[in-house]
Amino acid sequence: MNTAPLAPLTQIPPQIAAIADYESYARERMTDSAWAYLSGGAADELTLRENRDAFDRLRLQNRVLADLKGGGTKLNLFGLQLDYPIVLAPVAYHRLAHPQGELASVLGASAIKVPMVVSTQASIGLEDIAQAAQTPLWFQLYLQAERSHTLSLVRRAEAAGYRAIVLTLDAPVNGVRNREQRASFQLPPGIDAPNLRDIPSPSLPPARAGESALFGKGVLDTAPTWDDLAWLRASTRLPLIVKGITSPLDALQAIEHGADGIVVSNHGGRVLDGQPATIDALPAVTAAVAGRVPLLLDGGIRRGTDILKALALGATAVLIGRPYVYGLAAAGPVGVVHVVHMLRTELEIAMALTGCKTLADITPSVLWQRG
């Protein structure tokens, strides 16, 4: 029983040489309950595992004697000039991982110049995070039951200088989080979601035997629809990126309703278990979208080679979630910096060894095909 988590590391030990090495160090610095929340998935966690396993099934084709002079990983994404195609994904309640929460995360993000997506359910207010940031921020949004509450969050993000809205679509209800249930997860005293303090939270009483858990209780009456996406598009001038798409049909609908970008995501395996890995869903979405808007991908990224594979199948950039949160838990801002630096370095090495001078050179040809 992990009742007394260790303090964050003051320096990175040489034993941490890859993203996977951070997991055990992070585990020792979280309570059992916090670990269940941040590392777990839905139900049997099939999708959580598949996000990782699917990357491992893809093989790379090395190339030799390529002219790599003048290469690099720079890109333009929603008006931002980025040095490399990595973004920190929205993750709720960073204070479960580190006492300073999102303030520590954004300090690391600023040091390594990586954009960060701030969760609606951040454990620090969105304005305080923005004040501490020296890197571009995007605001992750959940549509609220009342449009006035949604608009209030958007206006706060605009006023605080956020550069885009990332609208999460794939969680109208929470998934079945058995790992959290077994750990009796509850937010500890002193940790909450400041951005939502003035917004009523819909309550769903437990269903008794013989009763419906959802239908007929009103909770789905205010679930978002495509009309809400169109309304939001008309309500802000910020780029609107929709997150949680795995269906090509949904991708096309999102574009028709005003999305400026799409994140191919299954919520890190935390909502609907049994979905395919995002890297397996990506090719069909890429084909349907046909370059009309940028595609991003999250779920399962643990190596720079994973980023290369995602870009080869149509992603413009990737989002990472658990990796940087593990770095945060283990070593605070320095851990965040180290995680991103390792991924960027591994991506550049993978590009060189597959003959790719720039991101534009990363095509499906870098993936090995059985002859």
Side-chain angles (χ1 to χ4, degrees):
M1 191 74 171
N2 183 10
T3 56
L6 300 178
L9 298 166
T10 57
Q11 61 182 18
I12 308 299
Q15 290 79 12
I16 298 181
I19 301 299
D21 297 331
Y22 265 106
E23 189 164 336
S24 62
Y25 287 87
R27 176 67 186 91
E28 295 173 332
R29 287 159 177 83
M30 290 191 210
T31 64
D32 293 331
S33 180
W35 181 254
Y37 179 82
L38 290 172
S39 68
D44 298 312
E45 302 188 344
L46 302 174
T47 299
L48 176 64
R49 292 192 294 272
E50 185 66 6
N51 274 348
R52 176 66 248 145
D53 293 345
F55 275 111
D56 290 342
R57 289 193 294 268
L58 292 172
R59 298 290 182 262
L60 295 172
Q61 176 65 68
N62 78 307
R63 298 297 300 273
V64 301
L65 301 180
D67 182 359
L68 301 173
K69 293 189 297 293
T73 59
K74 292 183 181 296
L75 72 157
N76 182 292
L77 187 63
F78 305 113
L80 299 177
Q81 294 293 329
L82 305 182
D83 290 334
Y84 46 91
I86 301 172
V87 177
L88 300 189
V91 178
Y93 306 119
H94 287 200
R95 288 186 61 207
L96 292 173
H98 189 277
Q100 296 176 346
E102 288 81 3
L103 295 180
S105 300
V106 81
L107 178 59
S110 298
I112 197 72
K113 298 181 181 178
V114 63
M116 175 171 157
V117 188
V118 174
S119 172
T120 292
Q121 295 176 312
S123 52
I124 303 290
L126 67 89
E127 291 88 356
D128 293 331
I129 299 169
Q131 189 172 9
Q134 297 184 42
T135 195
L137 298 180
W138 300 345
F139 183 67
Q140 178 270 331
L141 176 69
Y142 287 111
L143 288 168
Q144 304 299 306
E146 297 289 339
R147 282 186 173 179
S148 61
H149 294 144
T150 299
L151 195 59
S152 173
L153 289 169
V154 171
R155 294 291 179 257
R156 288 174 60 189
E158 291 171 339
Y162 286 73
R163 306 289 292 273
I165 300 295
V166 179
L167 178 64
T168 297
L169 299 176
D170 62 349
V173 296
N174 287 331
V176 177
R177 307 265 184 85
N178 291 148
R179 200 197 297 201
E180 290 178 29
Q181 292 171 325
R182 295 178 186 120
S184 300
F185 173 76
Q186 289 185 329
L187 286 174
I191 296 181
D192 69 343
N195 298 322
L196 299 176
R197 283 176 186 161
D198 297 328
I199 298 177
S201 177
S203 60
L204 182 64
R208 294 177 295 183
E211 292 183 342
S212 170
L214 285 180
F215 295 102
K217 297 194 177 253
V219 67
L220 296 178
D221 294 347
T222 56
T225 68
W226 291 111
D227 288 341
D228 293 299
L229 176 58
W231 165 79
L232 182 62
R233 172 63 289 169
S235 300
T236 181
R237 294 183 178 180
L238 291 177
L240 180 57
I241 306 159
V242 296
K243 182 176 181 291
I245 299 288
T246 59
S247 161
L249 296 178
D250 284 347
L252 293 176
Q253 280 267 63
I255 294 171
E256 289 174 8
H257 286 81
D260 298 303
I262 291 170
V263 183
V264 176
S265 171
N266 54 32
H267 216 101
R270 293 171 57 81
V271 179
L272 176 63
D273 201 22
Q275 294 185 79
T278 51
I279 192 65
D280 285 340
L282 178 60
V285 176
T286 298
V289 169
R292 278 174 281 186
V293 299
L295 294 179
L296 295 86
L297 176 136
D298 72 6
I301 301 285
R302 296 295 184 273
R303 286 282 187 182
T305 47
D306 299 333
I307 301 173
L308 184 79
K309 293 169 184 178
L311 270 55
L313 292 175
T316 302
V318 302
L319 290 83
I320 60 168
R322 290 181 179 92
Y324 85 87
V325 172
Y326 293 164
L328 172 69
V334 175
V336 175
V337 170
H338 190 218
V339 163
V340 176
H341 179 70
M342 284 193 292
L343 286 173
R344 180 185 184 181
T345 300
E346 291 177 359
L347 169 63
E348 292 180 358
I349 292 170
M351 288 174 61
L353 295 177
T354 54
C356 298
K357 182 192 302 188
T358 68
L359 299 182
D361 297 319
I362 303 173
T363 69
S365 66
V366 307
L367 301 176
W368 180 76
Q369 301 291 332
R370 189 181 300 274

